[in-house]
Amino acid sequence: MKQLITKWGKKVDKKDVLKEYPRPNLVRDSYLNLNGEWEYAITKSKDIEKYDGNIVVPFSPEAYLSGVQRIVQPDDYLHYRCKFRLDTDFIKERLILHFGAVDQECEVFLNGIRIGEHKGGYLPFSFDITNEMRIGENTLTLCVVDRTEKAPHARGKQKLVKKGKYGSLFYTPNSGIWKTVWLESVSEEYITNLRVTPCFDESAITVLVSTNGEPKEANIRILFKDNVVEETIIETNKTVKIVLDSFKSWTPDEPNLYDIEIDTGTDKVTAYFGMRKFSTGKDKNGILRFFLNNKPYFFNGLLDQGYWPESLLTPPSDDALKYDIVKLKELGYNTIRKHIKIESERFYYHCDKIGMIVWQDMPNGGGDYNMVFVTYLPNAFNWFARGVKDSLYSLFKRRDEEGRRQYYNDLEGMVNQLYNHPSIAVWVPFNEGWGQFDANIATNKIRKLDSTRLVNEACGWFDQNGGDMYSIHNYIRKLKVKPQSNRVVALTEYGGYSYPVENHVACEKEFGYKSYKNAEELTENYKRLWEEEIYPNIKNGLCSAIYTQTSDIEEEINGLMTYDREIVKIKKEVVKALNQKLDDIFQKTV
C-alpha cells in the first residue's frame, strides 16, 4: 500500500482543522470550534484507565491525518477526551454542543456527567449542556462503538478489512468523530430550525421558523445581492407564505441565491434559498423528461464517493471539498450523484453557490451482502435485476427489525437536514439492492417529507416500479433504451473505465470495468462510449448520464482524477466538447 497525500493534506495544521462555520444555512454569531488535538484510546473495555495518545479531530482513527492509522474493530471501544475553556463573554443563556457526525454509536459525557447518546454515523446531533458546563476548564469525553457491517446501521462504502488490504467496491472503514465538533451559545428562547420551500410557479416561498418557545412575531428580511426584496413580520412555529414580486431563478448556469435575515427579538440568524423547481413532464415529442424550472433538462454528471487518501470520508480542508465541485463544473458537468454518503453541509453550500446539482443517496446499511446476488447476477441479467421483490428481507440482508426502524429514522433525518439546499434535485433511498427493503414505502415517506424533489427509488436494479425514474446501471452491455410511459429513463451509473497513473495509485491490486494503459486510450474510449451509446439514446428518452466516477479510491481506479487529485486522467478539452455537444443534441431533440 502507498500512502497518497493531496496538496491540501500536506498543509493541514493540527491546531487549525476545518474551522469554517459548519452550518451555512442557519448562521448565528456564536461559534466555538473544538476541532484539533484530542486524547484517544482504543480498548476492549468500556472503562478506560489511560489514553493512548493524541488524535486530530475530526479525522477518524483509520485516517493518516488523525495521527493514529488504526482500524477500530467491532469489539473495540473508541474513547475521546477534550479539554476546553469557556469564558463568561461567550455565554448568553444556554450552551449547545454540536457533533457533525460520529460513526456509529456513542455516549457523551461533560465534566463526568452523562449528557446523552446517539446512534447512526452520518447525521449531526446536539445536546444542551447548560447545566453541565463550567466557566473555565471543561472536560468532554466520548465512548464510541463502530461495528461497520456487523451492525445494521448505515455504513455506505465502509467495510472491515485488514490494514493495507482493500475491497475493490468497498473501502477502508471510518470510525468515531469525522465531522466538526462545535459549540454555540444562545438565548433562553432561540431558533431551532428553518424550513424554506420555493413555490416556483407562484413566485413565492413558504417559511417555517421553528423555536423552542411559544409562537411569537419575527422580522424577516429577504435580500438579493444586498438589495432588500421583501421585509415582513411573520409568526414563528407556523408555516407562512411570502410572495415575491419577481425573482431570479437558480440554475447551474446562474446559481442565484437569496439571503434571509431573521430576528425574533431574542435570536438572530441568517440563511439563504434558491428559486428553482424540479419536476417531470413531456417534451414536444410526447416523451417523458426531467424538467428544471418547467423546461426539459438533462442531468449530466458523475458518481462521487467523497473519499480522500489521507482522511477517508473527511475532506482534508474546505478548499479540498470545494475543489472537486469546481473541477467538474469546469469540465462541463452539471450534476454530482453523492454516492451513499451524507457530506458536511459545507459541501451542499458550495454546490448551491457554484451551481452544481446534487443527487443525494441515502447511505446503505443492513447485514453483510451476498455480492453474487446484489451485484454479479443483476449486472449479467437484466431480467433478474427487474424481477425480485424487496420484501424478501433475508435476501437483502434486512432481517433486523431495529435496523429497518433505524433506516427510516436516518432517512427522515437526512431529508430534514438537507431540505433547504437548492442544489439537491433527487433523493436516492436505495442503491443496487444493498440493504434494500420495501422501497415503495421509503418513497412514500420521502414524498411526505419533501414533495419538491424527484425520487430515484431503487437505483440500478431490483426495481419496484416506483419513484420518478426508470434507473439503469450499465457497465457491460451496449446501452439501448426506449421511452417509458410513467417514469423518465435515467442512466444512473455507467462507464467505470480505469487507467492506473504511475505513482498516483494507492494499491497494487486494481479494479475497473474496462482498463486502459494511458490517457489517450482512456479518452478515445470515453469519447466512443458517448458517441455510440449516450448521444443516440437521447431521442429514445434518455435524460441523465452519471459516469463512474470523480476520482480513484483505493483499489477502484476508474476516476476521472487520480485519488490524490493531482492529475485529470482524461483529456479535458475532449470532455468539455462532448458535454457541450450533449447539451446541443438534447436542446434540439426536446
Side-chain angles (χ1 to χ4, degrees), residues 8 18 20 308 315-324 326 350:
W8 305 279
L18 294 168
E20 293 80 10
W308 303 84
S317 73
D318 195 62
D319 285 341
L321 186 66
K322 185 177 177 181
Y323 176 84
D324 285 0
V326 171
H350 290 313

Side-chain angles (χ1 to χ4, degrees), residues 144-184:
V144 181
V145 174
D146 185 2
R147 297 186 175 90
T148 315
E149 70 263 34
K150 305 300 181 183
H153 305 315
R155 63 179 182 274
K157 280 293 190 83
Q158 302 177 68
K159 187 171 179 61
L160 287 165
V161 292
K162 294 180 180 179
K163 185 176 178 180
K165 295 184 178 180
Y166 300 88
S168 62
L169 291 172
F170 296 90
Y171 318 130
T172 302
N174 193 96
S175 302
I177 299 170
W178 65 280
K179 293 182 185 177
T180 291
V181 185
W182 58 291
L183 292 164
E184 66 176 339

Side-chain angles (χ1 to χ4, degrees), residues 300-304 328 333 335-337 545-547 549-550 560:
N300 175 24
L302 279 87
L303 194 74
D304 189 272
L328 297 187
Y333 298 102
T335 301
I336 287 173
R337 180 181 163 206
I546 307 297
Y547 183 83
Q549 60 185 339
T550 297
L560 286 191

Side-chain angles (χ1 to χ4, degrees), residues 234-480:
I234 69 162
E235 187 177 346
T236 62
N237 300 318
K238 179 181 178 181
T239 300
V240 178
K241 180 173 285 189
I242 300 174
V243 176
L244 307 176
D245 289 336
S246 62
F247 66 85
K248 297 285 188 180
S249 302
W250 184 96
T251 70
D253 292 332
E254 295 185 62
N256 295 306
L257 296 174
Y258 289 78
D259 293 321
I260 307 178
E261 299 173 354
I262 303 171
D263 187 347
T264 66
T266 58
D267 195 12
K268 294 180 181 180
V269 299
T270 60
Y272 66 89
F273 68 92
M275 292 297 292
R276 54 90 184 102
K277 175 185 176 183
F278 297 110
S279 60
T280 63
K282 291 185 177 181
D283 66 12
K284 64 185 181 184
N285 303 305
I287 295 176
L288 203 57
R289 301 285 186 180
F290 295 125
F291 276 53
L292 170 61
N293 300 338
N294 295 324
K295 297 178 181 178
Y297 196 80
F298 195 100
F299 293 109
N300 175 24
L302 279 87
L303 194 74
D304 189 272
Q305 319 257 15
Y307 267 78
W308 303 84
E310 68 272 73
S311 51
L312 304 178
L313 288 176
T314 309
S317 73
D318 195 62
D319 285 341
L321 186 66
K322 185 177 177 181
Y323 176 84
D324 285 0
I325 305 166
V326 171
K327 182 57 66 175
L328 297 187
K329 186 82 181 280
E330 288 175 352
L331 291 171
Y333 298 102
N334 60 38
T335 301
I336 287 173
R337 180 181 163 206
K338 182 51 64 174
H339 193 36
I340 55 178
K341 176 194 178 187
I342 302 171
E343 289 282 5
S344 70
E345 285 198 55
R346 293 198 63 82
F347 168 80
Y348 307 97
Y349 166 73
H350 290 313
C351 288
D352 295 339
K353 296 276 286 184
I354 293 166
M356 180 64 73
I357 290 170
V358 178
W359 289 21
Q360 178 60 48
D361 287 14
M362 173 65 193
N364 55 288
D368 200 359
Y369 311 132
N370 180 335
M371 296 304 291
V372 172
F373 171 69
V374 297
T375 299
Y376 305 129
L377 287 175
N379 248 320
F381 305 106
N382 190 59
W383 59 266
F384 184 84
R386 304 283 167 184
V388 180
K389 298 299 180 185
D390 63 7
S391 56
L392 301 171
Y393 297 158
S394 294
L395 282 175
F396 289 90
K397 304 300 182 182
R398 274 294 188 179
R399 294 184 64 182
D400 186 273
E401 185 176 350
E402 181 187 353
R404 297 197 300 272
R405 286 197 299 269
Q406 181 68 32
Y407 170 86
Y408 289 134
N409 290 337
D410 290 345
L411 181 68
E412 181 176 355
M414 178 183 74
V415 173
N416 288 336
Q417 177 203 355
L418 303 179
Y419 183 87
N420 286 344
H421 292 283
S423 57
I424 297 177
V426 176
W427 299 115
V428 186
F430 296 109
N431 176 75
E432 292 189 349
W434 299 346
Q436 181 176 324
F437 70 100
D438 300 333
N440 292 154
I441 295 175
T443 293
N444 290 335
K445 288 181 179 292
I446 291 171
R447 301 270 200 223
K448 290 178 181 178
L449 293 167
D450 180 7
S451 62
T452 70
R453 293 179 171 93
L454 307 168
V455 179
N456 178 7
E457 181 178 275
C459 197
W461 40 73
F462 301 117
D463 185 8
Q464 307 298 304
N465 299 307
D468 296 293
M469 60 188 76
Y470 182 86
S471 172
I472 301 168
H473 288 187
N474 193 76
Y475 289 109
I476 60 176
R477 292 183 293 272
K478 184 167 183 177
L479 180 68
K480 189 174 182 180

